[in-house]
Every structure is written in C-alpha cells, then in structure tokens.
Coordinates of all heavy atoms in Angstrom, one line a residue:
M1374 N 150.4 -38.0 98.0 CA 149.4 -38.1 96.9 C 149.0 -36.7 96.5 O 148.7 -35.9 97.3 CB 148.2 -38.9 97.3 CG 147.1 -39.0 96.3 SD 145.5 -39.4 97.0 CE 145.6 -41.2 97.1
K1375 N 148.9 -36.5 95.1 CA 148.3 -35.3 94.6 C 147.2 -35.7 93.7 O 147.1 -36.9 93.2 CB 149.4 -34.5 93.8 CG 150.5 -34.0 94.6 CD 151.4 -33.1 93.8 CE 152.6 -32.6 94.6 NZ 152.2 -31.5 95.5
V1376 N 146.2 -34.8 93.5 CA 145.0 -35.1 92.7 C 144.7 -33.9 91.9 O 144.8 -32.8 92.4 CB 143.9 -35.6 93.6 CG1 143.4 -34.5 94.6 CG2 142.7 -36.1 92.8
K1377 N 144.2 -34.1 90.7 CA 143.7 -33.0 89.9 C 142.5 -33.5 89.1 O 142.2 -34.7 89.0 CB 144.8 -32.5 88.9 CG 145.3 -33.5 88.0 CD 146.5 -32.9 87.2 CE 147.1 -34.0 86.2 NZ 148.2 -33.4 85.4
I1378 N 141.8 -32.5 88.5 CA 140.6 -32.8 87.7 C 140.8 -32.5 86.3 O 141.3 -31.4 86.0 CB 139.4 -32.0 88.3 CG1 139.0 -32.4 89.7 CG2 138.2 -32.1 87.3 CD1 138.0 -31.6 90.4
D1379 N 140.5 -33.5 85.4 CA 140.6 -33.2 84.0 C 139.3 -32.6 83.5 O 138.3 -33.2 83.4 CB 140.8 -34.6 83.3 CG 141.0 -34.4 81.8 OD1 140.6 -33.3 81.2 OD2 141.5 -35.3 81.1
Y1380 N 139.4 -31.3 83.3 CA 138.1 -30.5 82.9 C 137.6 -30.8 81.5 O 136.5 -30.5 81.2 CB 138.4 -29.0 83.1 CG 138.5 -28.7 84.6 CD1 139.7 -28.3 85.2 CD2 137.3 -28.8 85.4 CE1 139.8 -28.0 86.5 CE2 137.4 -28.5 86.8 CZ 138.7 -28.1 87.3 OH 138.8 -27.8 88.7
D1381 N 138.4 -31.5 80.7 CA 137.8 -32.0 79.4 C 136.9 -33.1 79.6 O 136.0 -33.4 78.8 CB 139.0 -32.5 78.5 CG 139.8 -31.3 78.0 OD1 139.3 -30.1 78.0 OD2 141.0 -31.5 77.7
L1382 N 137.0 -33.8 80.8 CA 136.1 -35.0 81.1 C 135.0 -34.7 82.1 O 134.0 -35.3 82.1 CB 137.0 -36.2 81.5 CG 138.0 -36.7 80.6 CD1 138.8 -37.8 81.2 CD2 137.3 -37.2 79.3
C1383 N 135.3 -33.8 83.1 CA 134.4 -33.6 84.2 C 133.1 -33.1 83.7 O 133.0 -32.2 82.8 CB 135.0 -32.5 85.1 SG 133.9 -32.0 86.4
M1384 N 132.0 -33.7 84.2 CA 130.6 -33.3 83.8 C 129.9 -32.6 84.9 O 128.7 -32.3 84.9 CB 129.8 -34.5 83.4 CG 129.7 -35.6 84.4 SD 128.9 -37.1 83.7 CE 128.8 -38.1 85.2
G1385 N 130.7 -32.2 86.0 CA 130.1 -31.3 87.0 C 129.0 -31.8 87.8 O 128.0 -31.1 88.1
D1386 N 129.0 -33.1 88.1 CA 127.9 -33.7 88.9 C 128.0 -33.6 90.4 O 127.2 -34.1 91.1 CB 127.7 -35.2 88.5 CG 128.8 -36.1 88.9 OD1 129.8 -35.6 89.5 OD2 128.7 -37.3 88.7
E1387 N 129.1 -33.1 90.9 CA 129.3 -32.8 92.3 C 129.6 -34.0 93.1 O 129.8 -33.9 94.4 CB 128.1 -32.0 92.9 CG 128.4 -31.3 94.1 CD 127.1 -30.5 94.7 OE1 126.1 -30.4 93.9 OE2 127.2 -30.1 95.8
N1388 N 129.7 -35.2 92.5 CA 129.9 -36.4 93.3 C 131.2 -36.4 94.2 O 131.2 -36.8 95.3 CB 129.9 -37.6 92.5 CG 129.8 -38.9 93.3 OD1 128.8 -39.1 94.0 ND2 130.8 -39.7 93.3
C1389 N 132.3 -35.9 93.6 CA 133.6 -35.9 94.3 C 133.4 -35.0 95.6 O 134.0 -35.4 96.6 CB 134.7 -35.4 93.4 SG 134.4 -33.9 92.6
H1390 N 132.7 -33.9 95.5 CA 132.5 -33.0 96.6 C 131.7 -33.7 97.7 O 132.0 -33.6 98.9 CB 131.9 -31.7 96.2 CG 131.4 -30.8 97.3 ND1 132.3 -30.2 98.1 CD2 130.2 -30.5 97.7 CE1 131.7 -29.5 99.0 NE2 130.4 -29.6 98.8
K1391 N 130.7 -34.5 97.3 CA 129.9 -35.2 98.2 C 130.7 -36.3 98.9 O 130.5 -36.6 100.1 CB 128.7 -35.8 97.5 CG 127.7 -34.8 97.1 CD 126.5 -35.4 96.3 CE 125.5 -34.3 95.8 NZ 124.6 -34.8 94.8
V1392 N 131.6 -37.0 98.2 CA 132.4 -38.0 98.8 C 133.4 -37.5 99.7 O 133.7 -38.0 100.8 CB 133.0 -38.9 97.7 CG1 134.0 -39.9 98.2 CG2 131.9 -39.6 96.9
C1393 N 134.1 -36.4 99.3 CA 135.3 -35.9 100.1 C 135.3 -34.4 100.0 O 136.1 -33.8 99.3 CB 136.6 -36.5 99.5 SG 138.0 -36.1 100.6
P1394 N 134.4 -33.7 100.7 CA 134.4 -32.3 100.7 C 135.6 -31.6 101.2 O 135.9 -30.4 100.9 CB 133.2 -31.9 101.5 CG 133.0 -33.1 102.4 CD 133.4 -34.3 101.6
E1395 N 136.4 -32.3 102.0 CA 137.7 -31.8 102.5 C 138.7 -31.5 101.4 O 139.5 -30.6 101.5 CB 138.3 -32.7 103.5 CG 137.4 -33.1 104.7 CD 136.6 -34.4 104.5 OE1 136.3 -34.7 103.3 OE2 136.3 -35.1 105.5
V1396 N 138.6 -32.2 100.3 CA 139.5 -32.1 99.2 C 138.9 -31.5 98.0 O 139.5 -30.7 97.3 CB 140.1 -33.5 98.8 CG1 141.0 -33.4 97.5 CG2 141.0 -34.0 100.0
F1397 N 137.6 -31.8 97.7 CA 137.0 -31.3 96.5 C 136.0 -30.2 96.8 O 135.0 -30.5 97.5 CB 136.3 -32.4 95.7 CG 137.3 -33.5 95.3 CD1 137.4 -34.7 96.0 CD2 138.0 -33.3 94.1 CE1 138.3 -35.7 95.5 CE2 138.9 -34.3 93.7 CZ 139.0 -35.5 94.4
D1398 N 136.2 -29.0 96.3 CA 135.2 -27.9 96.5 C 134.3 -28.0 95.3 O 134.5 -28.7 94.3 CB 136.0 -26.6 96.4 CG 135.2 -25.5 97.0 OD1 134.1 -25.7 97.5 OD2 135.7 -24.4 97.0
F1399 N 133.1 -27.4 95.4 CA 132.2 -27.3 94.3 C 131.6 -25.9 94.2 O 131.0 -25.4 95.2 CB 131.1 -28.4 94.4 CG 130.2 -28.5 93.2 CD1 130.7 -29.2 92.1 CD2 129.0 -27.9 93.1 CE1 129.9 -29.3 90.9 CE2 128.2 -28.0 92.0 CZ 128.7 -28.7 90.9
D1400 N 131.7 -25.3 93.0 CA 131.2 -24.0 92.8 C 129.7 -24.1 92.2 O 129.6 -24.6 91.0 CB 132.1 -23.3 91.8 CG 131.7 -21.8 91.6 OD1 130.5 -21.5 91.5 OD2 132.6 -20.9 91.5
Q1401 N 128.7 -23.8 93.0 CA 127.3 -23.9 92.5 C 127.0 -23.0 91.4 O 126.1 -23.3 90.6 CB 126.4 -23.6 93.7 CG 126.5 -24.6 94.8 CD 125.9 -26.0 94.5 OE1 125.3 -26.2 93.5 NE2 126.1 -27.0 95.4
D1402 N 127.7 -21.9 91.2 CA 127.4 -21.0 90.0 C 128.0 -21.5 88.7 O 127.4 -21.6 87.7 CB 128.0 -19.6 90.3 CG 127.2 -19.0 91.5 OD1 126.0 -19.2 91.7 OD2 127.9 -18.2 92.3
K1403 N 129.3 -22.0 88.8 CA 129.9 -22.5 87.6 C 129.6 -24.0 87.4 O 130.0 -24.5 86.3 CB 131.5 -22.4 87.8 CG 132.0 -20.9 87.8 CD 133.5 -20.9 88.0 CE 134.0 -19.5 88.1 NZ 135.5 -19.5 88.4
L1404 N 129.0 -24.6 88.4 CA 128.8 -26.1 88.3 C 130.1 -26.8 88.0 O 130.1 -27.6 87.1 CB 127.7 -26.4 87.3 CG 126.3 -25.8 87.6 CD1 125.3 -26.2 86.5 CD2 125.8 -26.3 89.0
Q1405 N 131.1 -26.5 88.8 CA 132.4 -27.1 88.6 C 133.1 -27.4 89.9 O 133.0 -26.6 90.8 CB 133.2 -26.1 87.8 CG 134.5 -26.7 87.2 CD 135.2 -25.7 86.3 OE1 135.8 -24.7 86.8 NE2 135.1 -26.0 85.0
S1406 N 133.7 -28.6 89.9 CA 134.5 -28.9 91.1 C 135.9 -28.4 91.0 O 136.4 -28.2 89.9 CB 134.5 -30.5 91.3 OG 133.2 -30.9 91.6
S1407 N 136.6 -28.3 92.1 CA 138.0 -27.9 92.1 C 138.7 -28.6 93.3 O 138.0 -29.1 94.2 CB 138.2 -26.4 92.2 OG 137.6 -25.9 93.3
V1408 N 140.0 -28.7 93.2 CA 140.8 -29.3 94.3 C 141.2 -28.3 95.2 O 141.8 -27.3 94.8 CB 142.0 -30.1 93.7 CG1 142.8 -30.7 94.8 CG2 141.5 -31.2 92.7
R1409 N 141.0 -28.5 96.5 CA 141.3 -27.5 97.5 C 142.7 -27.5 98.0 O 143.2 -26.6 98.6 CB 140.4 -27.7 98.8 CG 139.0 -27.5 98.7 CD 138.4 -27.9 100.1 NE 136.9 -27.9 100.1 CZ 136.2 -26.9 100.4 NH1 136.8 -25.7 100.6 NH2 134.9 -27.0 100.4
V1410 N 143.4 -28.7 97.9 CA 144.6 -28.9 98.5 C 145.7 -29.1 97.5 O 145.5 -29.6 96.4 CB 144.6 -30.1 99.5 CG1 143.6 -29.8 100.6 CG2 144.3 -31.4 98.8
D1411 N 147.0 -28.8 97.9 CA 148.1 -29.1 97.0 C 148.4 -30.6 97.1 O 148.5 -31.3 96.2 CB 149.3 -28.2 97.4 CG 150.5 -28.5 96.5 OD1 150.3 -28.7 95.3 OD2 151.6 -28.7 97.0
T1412 N 148.6 -31.0 98.4 CA 148.9 -32.4 98.7 C 147.8 -33.0 99.5 O 147.4 -32.4 100.5 CB 150.2 -32.6 99.4 OG1 151.3 -32.0 98.6 CG2 150.6 -34.0 99.7
V1413 N 147.3 -34.2 99.2 CA 146.2 -34.8 99.9 C 146.7 -35.3 101.3 O 147.7 -36.1 101.3 CB 145.6 -36.0 99.1 CG1 144.5 -36.7 100.0 CG2 145.1 -35.5 97.8
P1414 N 146.1 -34.9 102.4 CA 146.5 -35.4 103.7 C 146.4 -36.9 103.7 O 145.4 -37.4 103.2 CB 145.6 -34.7 104.7 CG 145.1 -33.5 104.0 CD 145.0 -33.9 102.5
P1415 N 147.3 -37.6 104.3 CA 147.3 -39.1 104.3 C 145.9 -39.7 104.8 O 145.5 -40.7 104.2 CB 148.4 -39.5 105.3 CG 149.3 -38.4 105.2 CD 148.5 -37.1 105.0
Q1416 N 145.3 -39.1 105.8 CA 144.1 -39.6 106.3 C 142.9 -39.5 105.3 O 141.8 -40.1 105.5 CB 143.7 -39.0 107.7 CG 143.3 -37.5 107.6 CD 144.5 -36.6 107.7 OE1 145.7 -37.0 107.4 NE2 144.3 -35.4 108.1
L1417 N 143.1 -38.7 104.3 CA 142.0 -38.5 103.3 C 142.3 -39.3 102.0 O 141.4 -39.2 101.0 CB 141.8 -37.0 103.0 CG 141.3 -36.2 104.2 CD1 141.3 -34.7 103.8 CD2 139.9 -36.6 104.6
E1418 N 143.4 -40.0 101.9 CA 143.7 -40.6 100.6 C 142.7 -41.6 100.2 O 142.4 -41.7 99.0 CB 145.1 -41.2 100.7 CG 146.2 -40.2 100.7 CD 147.6 -40.8 100.7 OE1 147.7 -42.1 100.8 OE2 148.6 -40.0 100.7
D1419 N 142.2 -42.4 101.1 CA 141.2 -43.4 100.8 C 139.9 -42.8 100.2 O 139.3 -43.3 99.3 CB 140.9 -44.3 102.0 CG 142.0 -45.3 102.3 OD1 142.9 -45.5 101.4 OD2 141.9 -45.9 103.4
K1420 N 139.5 -41.7 100.8 CA 138.3 -41.0 100.3 C 138.5 -40.4 98.9 O 137.6 -40.4 98.1 CB 137.9 -39.9 101.3 CG 137.2 -40.4 102.6 CD 136.9 -39.4 103.6 CE 135.6 -38.6 103.2 NZ 135.3 -37.6 104.3
V1421 N 139.7 -40.0 98.7 CA 140.0 -39.5 97.3 C 140.0 -40.6 96.3 O 139.5 -40.5 95.2 CB 141.4 -38.7 97.3 CG1 141.8 -38.4 95.9 CG2 141.2 -37.4 98.1
R1422 N 140.6 -41.8 96.7 CA 140.5 -42.9 95.8 C 139.1 -43.3 95.5 O 138.7 -43.7 94.4 CB 141.3 -44.1 96.4 CG 142.8 -43.9 96.4 CD 143.6 -45.2 96.7 NE 145.0 -44.9 96.8 CZ 145.6 -44.6 97.9 NH1 145.0 -44.6 99.1 NH2 146.9 -44.4 97.9
Q1423 N 138.2 -43.3 96.6 CA 136.8 -43.6 96.4 C 136.2 -42.6 95.4 O 135.4 -43.0 94.6 CB 136.1 -43.6 97.8 CG 134.6 -43.9 97.6 CD 133.9 -43.7 99.0 OE1 134.5 -43.6 100.0 NE2 132.6 -43.7 98.9
A1424 N 136.4 -41.4 95.6 CA 135.9 -40.4 94.7 C 136.3 -40.6 93.3 O 135.5 -40.5 92.3 CB 136.3 -39.0 95.2
A1425 N 137.6 -41.0 93.1 CA 138.1 -41.3 91.7 C 137.3 -42.5 91.1 O 137.0 -42.5 90.0 CB 139.6 -41.5 91.8
R1426 N 137.1 -43.5 92.0 CA 136.4 -44.7 91.5 C 135.0 -44.4 91.1 O 134.4 -44.9 90.1 CB 136.4 -45.8 92.6 CG 137.6 -46.6 92.7 CD 137.4 -47.9 93.5 NE 136.9 -47.6 94.9 CZ 137.6 -47.4 96.0 NH1 138.9 -47.3 95.8 NH2 137.1 -47.1 97.1
E1427 N 134.4 -43.5 91.8 CA 133.0 -43.1 91.6 C 132.8 -42.1 90.5 O 131.6 -41.8 90.2 CB 132.3 -42.7 92.9 CG 132.2 -43.8 93.9 CD 131.4 -43.4 95.1 OE1 130.8 -42.3 95.1 OE2 131.5 -44.1 96.1
C1428 N 133.8 -41.5 90.1 CA 133.7 -40.4 89.0 C 133.5 -41.1 87.7 O 134.4 -41.7 87.1 CB 135.0 -39.6 89.0 SG 135.0 -38.3 87.7
A1429 N 132.2 -41.0 87.2 CA 131.8 -41.8 86.1 C 132.7 -41.5 84.8 O 133.0 -42.5 84.1 CB 130.3 -41.5 85.8
P1430 N 133.0 -40.3 84.5 CA 133.8 -40.1 83.3 C 135.3 -40.2 83.5 O 136.1 -40.1 82.6 CB 133.5 -38.6 82.9 CG 133.2 -38.0 84.2 CD 132.5 -39.0 85.1
G1431 N 135.7 -40.6 84.7 CA 137.2 -40.8 85.0 C 138.0 -39.5 85.0 O 139.1 -39.5 84.5
A1432 N 137.4 -38.4 85.5 CA 138.0 -37.1 85.4 C 139.0 -36.9 86.5 O 139.7 -35.9 86.5 CB 137.0 -36.0 85.3
I1433 N 139.0 -37.7 87.5 CA 139.9 -37.4 88.7 C 141.2 -38.2 88.5 O 141.2 -39.4 88.3 CB 139.2 -37.9 90.0 CG1 137.9 -37.0 90.3 CG2 140.2 -37.8 91.2 CD1 137.1 -37.4 91.5
V1434 N 142.3 -37.4 88.4 CA 143.6 -38.0 88.1 C 144.4 -38.0 89.4 O 144.6 -36.9 90.0 CB 144.3 -37.2 87.0 CG1 145.7 -37.8 86.7 CG2 143.4 -37.1 85.8
I1435 N 144.8 -39.2 89.9 CA 145.6 -39.3 91.1 C 147.1 -39.5 90.7 O 147.4 -40.3 89.8 CB 145.1 -40.5 91.9 CG1 143.7 -40.1 92.5 CG2 146.1 -40.8 93.1 CD1 143.1 -41.3 93.3
V1436 N 147.9 -38.8 91.3 CA 149.4 -38.9 91.2 C 150.0 -39.4 92.5 O 150.0 -38.6 93.5 CB 150.0 -37.6 90.7 CG1 151.5 -37.8 90.5 CG2 149.4 -37.1 89.4
E1437 N 150.4 -40.6 92.6 CA 151.0 -41.1 93.8 C 152.4 -40.6 94.0 O 153.1 -40.5 93.1 CB 151.0 -42.6 93.8 CG 149.6 -43.2 93.7 CD 148.8 -43.3 95.0 OE1 149.3 -42.9 96.0 OE2 147.6 -43.7 94.9
Ligands
LIG1228 S1 132.9 -36.6 90.4 FE1 134.1 -36.4 88.4 S2 132.6 -35.7 86.9 FE2 131.8 -35.3 89.0 S3 132.3 -33.2 89.5 FE3 133.9 -34.6 90.4 S4 135.5 -34.7 88.8 FE4 133.7 -33.9 87.8

C-alpha cells in the first residue's frame, strides 16, 4: 500500500498524524501533514485506512 496527501483538499487539522504518527508527520510551523514512508508497512495499513476514513475533506489517497 502507498498513501499520499492531496494538498488541494487538505485543511491541515493534524488528524491523520494523531491517528497514525508512524506514517503521517505534521509540521507545526507550516500546519501541514506529510507522509513519512514510501510504502506503508503491512502492520500499519489498518491505521492508515482509519486515518483516510476520518479525513473530513477526503485528502488522503490510498493506492493499493
Ligand atoms: S487528516 Fe486530512 S485534512 Fe487533516 S491534516 Fe491529514 S490529510 Fe490533511
């Protein structure tokens, strides 16, 4: 699984970082999340799916 953030939609609320900090970093100065990993480790895939479900603007794009 790969994951990326659509910055045209992201509103910088930090939720993905709170749900899965292992995959989503958050820059407190830029108020922007970023993806830390190239490929999501299998044991974190469920947390990434949860983060995507909880991302209100639908900015988290999962590629299986
Ligand atoms: S949860 Fe969605 S809107 Fe919030 S910071 Fe992460 S990608 Fe952006």
Side-chain angles (χ1 to χ4, degrees):
M1374 174 199 280
K1375 292 184 183 289
V1376 63
K1377 60 184 178 180
I1378 294 172
D1379 182 342
Y1380 289 108
D1381 290 335
L1382 298 176
C1383 175
M1384 57 186 187
D1386 67 356
E1387 201 180 346
N1388 192 63
C1389 51
H1390 173 68
K1391 290 176 181 165
V1392 172
C1393 188
E1395 302 92 334
V1396 171
F1397 298 100
D1398 200 2
F1399 189 76
D1400 187 320
Q1401 294 289 349
D1402 294 326
K1403 295 180 183 171
L1404 297 178
Q1405 191 173 74
S1406 292
S1407 60
V1408 178
R1409 293 177 187 272
V1410 300
D1411 180 44
T1412 300
V1413 177
Q1416 68 272 22
L1417 295 175
E1418 288 184 353
D1419 285 348
K1420 283 174 81 175
V1421 169
R1422 289 192 185 94
Q1423 180 187 347
R1426 281 195 302 274
E1427 292 185 14
C1428 177
I1433 295 176
V1434 180
I1435 291 174
V1436 180
E1437 299 279 359

